[in-house]
Amino acid sequence: MNWWNLFLSVLLIAGHTQLWVAFVNRVHALPMPHAVLKHVRHLHDVALISFPIVLLWCLGVSGPRLLTYGRWSDLSSGWIAVIAVCSLGVAGLVISTLRHQWRPSPRAVLSERAEVFDIESQLGRRPVGEGPYRSLATLPWNEQFTLELSEKRLALPRLPRAWEGLTILHLSDWHLMPTIERCFFEEVTDYVSAQSADLIVFTGDLIDDMACVEWFPHTLGILDAPLGRYFILGNHDWEQEADVIRECLSSHGWQSVGSDVRTIEHAGHRMMIAGDETPWLGDRPDIQGATETDFRLLLAHTPDHFGWARRQGVDLMLSGHNHGGQVVLPIFGPVYSPSTNGVRYAAGTFAKEQTVMHVSRGLAGRHPLRWRCRPEVTRLILERDTA
Ligand SMILES: [Fe+2]
């Protein structure tokens, strides 16, 4: 056995996997029907299973017999091309891993702390109902039935002095569907409502099953905050009946800012709250109506709009959509993230120039499986960046 060639073959298989994952992540960032995305995922599954078998058989065991006495120089030009492409995948994997390992916390994050609650223990059972992907929900070590209440102090250069200590509760991606029983979301709501906040925002993907609009009065409907509750919808709401969801949540006192801008006044200063549900719903909000001194808060379902937000002079952008990857591997980090940026903005806080972005891991997902990536609700405390 030529162990060195076996190691190189494994590297090429990893590179091939990385290319498919990168492709799937980017396709899932586009406004495509669920059925098409499902076909893409199946194609990805077939490619990931068949490529190692084909590679090891055609190059390792037969053909140039690389796993015994063969040499790479004996490969045909077709296989050399395949290997060149897979090598690009290996480079991508190395870059992604290094970025995950050495991403510094931005200076805008002054401090952070988190408290974890085990909802499953609280209920005395795992609240798994009848619904799609039920088997995933029952897997051992699944962190889906926990809650991480995190608190972050963010420094923002243009925050009015009178707003020092202003708090925002950031909720995202609840994906209400019967696979996770209503009692889980009610328990989470109890924890969330115990948190004091000036403002509550929800950044999309509220529902995966229209029957769950009946859960609103027992969950999001009972939350309140002095400066209001604002929401946008996400790609999963787009796949359902978005207008009904918007209307229903609005009837419980939440204000939709999808493709829209609302201005509130607090302590003598104005905050513009804009919502961006593109590329799935509506258009970009018109932020240019804001005056120089207005504080600009953008709710955008996908963090892919970070560059656009910076160009619009947004102060704070809040997003979800990527769920932190849901499964975070040791060393490599998150793998799947439906973004044109891959896993770069899977979750966390990012800052460039005056714009700070917080990407929530969200609370659930159509696939109810989480590992090293707990469901999250975040309480943001805003401070003025005087540096
Ligand atoms: Fe989502």
Side-chain angles (χ1 to χ4, degrees):
M1 171 67 81
N2 186 328
W3 293 102
W4 175 244
N5 282 354
L6 178 64
F7 171 71
L8 290 178
S9 301
V10 170
L11 264 188
L12 292 172
I13 291 165
H16 171 264
T17 304
Q18 170 71 12
L19 289 174
W20 270 101
V21 168
F23 173 67
V24 164
N25 282 341
R26 277 139 187 98
V27 168
H28 279 68
L30 305 173
M32 287 190 172
H34 178 57
V36 175
L37 295 176
K38 207 170 176 178
H39 285 309
V40 171
R41 286 200 299 274
H42 287 163
L43 194 63
H44 148 280
D45 295 346
V46 170
L48 259 52
I49 292 167
S50 56
F51 183 76
I53 298 168
V54 172
L55 182 87
L56 292 176
W57 178 259
C58 294
L59 300 188
V61 180
S62 62
R65 297 180 193 274
L66 291 174
L67 294 184
T68 48
Y69 52 81
R71 291 177 307 174
W72 293 89
S73 55
D74 296 336
L75 260 55
S76 67
S77 54
W79 272 110
I80 288 171
V82 170
I83 284 167
V85 172
C86 291
S87 301
L88 292 176
V90 175
L93 182 62
V94 170
I95 291 168
S96 168
T97 304
L98 291 176
R99 195 184 276 153
H100 171 70
Q101 291 292 335
W102 283 286
R103 185 169 79 87
S105 182
R107 201 175 56 85
V109 181
L110 299 176
S111 66
E112 55 185 311
R113 65 191 182 93
E115 208 175 341
V116 175
F117 301 94
D118 188 344
I119 309 263
E120 183 178 341
S121 301
Q122 211 96 6
L123 293 168
R125 66 186 177 86
R126 190 173 282 195
V128 180
E130 290 303 325
Y133 304 107
R134 188 183 187 281
S135 53
L136 289 179
T138 59
L139 288 175
W141 303 296
N142 186 353
E143 292 173 338
Q144 175 59 70
F145 302 96
T146 61
L147 169 68
E148 186 173 307
L149 266 175
S150 55
E151 189 176 277
K152 289 189 179 186
R153 299 178 82 84
L154 300 182
L156 299 159
R158 287 185 354 108
L159 188 83
R161 267 186 209 290
W163 289 6
E164 294 246 28
L166 190 89
T167 48
I168 301 176
L169 260 183
H170 180 196
L171 318 176
S172 198
D173 297 80
W174 281 32
H175 289 267
L176 303 179
M177 63 172 180
T179 314
I180 302 175
E181 289 180 10
R182 191 175 97 181
C183 57
F184 170 78
F185 298 98
E186 289 173 339
E187 284 288 319
V188 169
T189 305
D190 282 349
Y191 284 116
V192 171
S193 57
Q195 307 295 309
S196 64
D198 296 302
L199 192 69
I200 305 180
V201 300
F202 188 92
T203 51
D205 277 3
L206 181 50
I207 267 202
D208 269 86
D209 186 322
M210 286 308 289
C212 297
V213 292
E214 289 178 10
W215 298 5
F216 288 176
H218 311 277
T219 54
L220 292 177
I222 61 175
L223 299 176
D224 207 357
L227 298 181
R229 295 160 286 169
Y230 299 87
F231 75 97
I232 54 168
L233 299 180
N235 55 309
H236 285 248
D237 306 305
W238 167 69
E239 288 169 9
Q240 303 290 322
E241 297 166 50
D243 292 342
V244 177
I245 297 169
R246 199 184 303 279
E247 208 172 294
C248 203
L249 195 56
S250 301
S251 73
H252 290 287
W254 284 74
Q255 297 185 58
S256 169
V257 289
S259 311
D260 206 354
V261 176
R262 301 209 181 207
T263 306
I264 58 173
E265 216 165 311
H266 174 59
H269 297 274
R270 297 194 338 149
M271 179 191 288
M272 174 179 261
I273 306 173
D276 191 342
E277 299 169 338
T278 63
W280 301 282
L281 288 156
D283 303 306
R284 300 276 200 198
D286 181 10
I287 296 180
Q288 291 313 313
T291 66
E292 270 301 301
T293 54
D294 286 351
F295 183 85
R296 300 172 186 199
L297 171 64
L298 174 69
L299 312 184
H301 184 57
T302 172
D304 287 343
H305 298 330
F306 188 39
W308 181 81
R310 286 204 326 266
R311 291 192 293 278
Q312 301 296 312
V314 165
D315 295 290
L316 178 61
M317 173 175 164
L318 302 179
S319 294
H321 186 53
N322 293 339
H323 302 189
Q326 290 199 203
V327 172
V328 176
L329 300 178
I331 302 169
F332 299 104
V335 179
Y336 293 101
S337 176
S339 166
T340 54
N341 290 281
V343 294
R344 186 173 196 164
Y345 299 136
T349 309
F350 306 83
K352 199 158 187 189
E353 290 138 21
Q354 71 165 37
T355 307
V356 175
M357 173 172 74
H358 178 255
V359 184
S360 169
R361 296 195 298 271
L363 189 65
R366 181 178 278 143
H367 300 88
L369 174 68
R370 285 180 181 250
W371 191 55
R372 301 176 79 231
C373 184
R374 292 186 190 279
E376 176 187 27
V377 166
T378 320
R379 185 168 178 264
L380 301 168
I381 304 170
L382 311 191
E383 304 284 356
R384 187 181 167 89
D385 185 357
T386 51

